Amino acid sequence: MADKTANWLVIVTREALEGVASPPVASEERLLEYVDTFGQVVTYKLEHGRAGEEATIWVQMEDVAEWRTLDSRS
């Protein structure tokens, strides 16, 4: 993923893949199906200064849950 300042390596954890939808599945198909959702989570993390070191962003289940909570309010 890229923004104005860098190219970011995005790592989606198994728990995030399993937790983004039901039933819990960690597969390439699930990743591709929810790539836009994970991209929005990454954008949120970048906007709030929560990226990792060395241009790496980890997407964990907690990030998805937090983003959902905030997204449901808008």
Side-chain angles (χ1 to χ4, degrees):
M1 190 166 176
D3 69 2
K4 295 177 185 175
T5 61
N7 290 318
W8 296 90
L9 171 64
V10 176
I11 301 171
V12 179
T13 65
R14 178 181 194 90
E15 291 79 15
L17 279 172
E18 291 175 342
V20 74
S22 187
V25 174
S27 67
E28 182 179 356
E29 291 81 20
R30 172 69 55 95
L31 177 63
L32 295 174
E33 183 178 353
Y34 286 90
V35 70
D36 290 336
T37 298
F38 293 125
Q40 291 174 30
V41 172
V42 169
T43 299
Y44 173 79
K45 289 184 79 163
L46 284 170
E47 289 173 349
H48 292 87
R50 294 175 49 201
E53 295 181 19
E54 299 183 21
T56 303
I57 301 175
W58 287 80
V59 177
Q60 300 177 359
M61 187 54 222
E62 296 81 14
D63 301 318
V64 175
E66 179 181 347
W67 174 81
R68 275 193 178 140
T69 300
L70 297 171
D71 188 54
S72 67
R73 291 188 217 163
S74 38

